[in-house]
Amino acid sequence: QEQLVESGGGLVQAGGSLRLSCAASGRTFSTYTMGWFRQAPGKEREFVALISWSGDTTLYADSVKGRFTISRDNTKNTVYLQMNSLNSEDTAVYYCAKTRMPWTTAPGLNVYGSWGQGTQVTVSS
């Protein structure tokens, strides 16, 4: 069964940086779009960024554009989220996710069928 395991979360001061990683099991990683989502307390889970199977296409939420960078290494079955210039509004549990179908690129939550357990990111002001 597919497993996604996030790491790299933690406590950081405003203006700081963190790099999240998501390691995927399975042999089909390179044919699926991967996404990062986040959920703050009392709020719905929201899209943060995605990267297509080849890495050629990326998409970001307006709130993180210019500050966050998504990347992937298909040889390591891993997707990354580099987060710079963090602020308190970035505090949330961050989840990586894999699309239900291969060769599909879209930001909607229902497009993603496999989810990690989440990693907490806390930004102190």
Side-chain angles (χ1 to χ4, degrees):
Q1 186 175 351
E2 183 81 41
Q3 280 195 323
L4 302 175
V5 180
E6 302 98 335
S7 61
L11 175 65
V12 63
Q13 288 188 333
S17 299
L18 281 175
R19 188 193 195 203
L20 305 183
S21 298
C22 172
S25 63
R27 293 177 288 181
T28 60
F29 178 80
S30 63
T31 63
Y32 285 79
T33 289
M34 297 296 295
W36 284 98
F37 295 78
R38 66 186 182 186
Q39 188 166 16
K43 295 188 177 181
E44 295 184 350
R45 192 169 299 188
E46 64 176 5
F47 168 76
V48 174
L50 66 79
I51 186 166
S52 63
W53 54 91
S54 63
D56 289 346
T57 300
T58 58
L59 182 67
Y60 297 92
D62 288 344
S63 59
V64 307
K65 202 172 295 183
R67 300 187 298 121
F68 290 12
T69 302
I70 189 171
S71 61
R72 67 189 295 163
D73 185 341
N74 286 345
T75 67
K76 297 181 179 179
N77 278 16
T78 301
V79 61
Y80 306 96
L81 186 68
Q82 178 67 43
M83 305 186 295
N84 299 328
S85 302
L86 287 161
N87 58 60
S88 59
E89 294 184 350
D90 297 316
T91 294
V93 177
Y94 284 71
Y95 300 88
C96 71
K98 175 185 164 185
T99 51
R100 296 180 187 276
M101 300 296 292
W103 322 117
T104 300
T105 299
L109 269 71
N110 60 352
V111 175
Y112 295 80
S114 298
W115 295 82
Q117 83 288 349
T119 186
Q120 176 70 47
V121 172
T122 303
V123 184
S124 63
S125 55

